[in-house]
Amino acid sequence: MNKSETIGKLAEALSKAQGAMKPAIKDSDNPYYKSKYADLSSVWEAIREPLSANGLSVSQLLESTENGEKITLTTILMHSSGEWLMSSITAKPAKEDAQAIGSLTSYLRRYALSAIIGGYADDDDAEADRIARQEKSPEP
């Protein structure tokens, strides 16, 4: 991770934004694992307003490395003061075709974005479990 010389204003703004953030909704199906996940659009929907209301923005940049065999995604969290945080991740697509590269890119963007802002997805499995337990327990 890299950062600007100071991050005090960014940290304060991110703290306020996190207080206003709602979890991303798991609205996409993963047929391979028979589960649901929050796609990139869902993550952005959950964080866009709290970030912008607090002078924060995010940029994600892609680079191809090692003769195009790997992809590096750099995520930059910026504050209107000029302070910033930056993190990069490199991964290799499962295959060398556009579909695999697009899938990996979307996956990396979603996880890197959530990580740098401290976001999370709504845990619908835990919520369902909590509701089921409430229904089984007698009322006080």
Side-chain angles (χ1 to χ4, degrees), residues 14 16-23 46-48 50-51 56 117-120:
L14 183 57
K16 290 177 183 176
Q18 287 173 337
M21 285 179 197
K22 303 290 185 220
I47 67 170
R48 181 176 285 115
L51 290 180
L56 296 163
I117 57 92
Y120 61 99

Side-chain angles (χ1 to χ4, degrees), residues 2 59-76 86-93 101 104-109 112:
N2 293 315
S59 185
Q60 293 186 302
L61 311 168
L62 286 171
E63 289 182 70
S64 173
T65 60
E66 298 181 24
N67 299 324
E69 292 180 6
K70 293 184 180 180
I71 294 172
T72 297
L73 174 76
T74 300
T75 302
I76 309 167
M86 181 172 67
S87 179
S88 296
I89 186 168
T90 301
K92 184 176 181 176
I101 292 168
L104 176 62
T105 298
S106 178
Y107 183 87
L108 292 177
R109 288 187 65 203

Side-chain angles (χ1 to χ4, degrees), residues 2-94:
N2 293 315
K3 62 180 181 59
S4 56
E5 193 171 311
T6 64
I7 60 167
K9 292 177 183 174
L10 183 150
E12 181 181 359
L14 183 57
S15 173
K16 290 177 183 176
Q18 287 173 337
M21 285 179 197
K22 303 290 185 220
I25 304 297
K26 291 183 180 181
D27 57 358
S28 295
D29 293 314
N30 182 335
Y32 185 76
Y33 290 108
K34 297 180 180 152
S35 62
K36 294 183 106 25
Y37 68 96
D39 65 12
L40 183 58
S41 175
S42 212
V43 173
W44 268 113
E45 188 62 32
I47 67 170
R48 181 176 285 115
E49 180 62 30
L51 290 180
S52 64
N54 289 284
L56 296 163
S57 61
V58 175
S59 185
Q60 293 186 302
L61 311 168
L62 286 171
E63 289 182 70
S64 173
T65 60
E66 298 181 24
N67 299 324
E69 292 180 6
K70 293 184 180 180
I71 294 172
T72 297
L73 174 76
T74 300
T75 302
I76 309 167
L77 175 64
M78 299 166 281
H79 183 254
S80 56
S81 67
E83 295 177 340
W84 55 272
L85 296 173
M86 181 172 67
S87 179
S88 296
I89 186 168
T90 301
K92 184 176 181 176

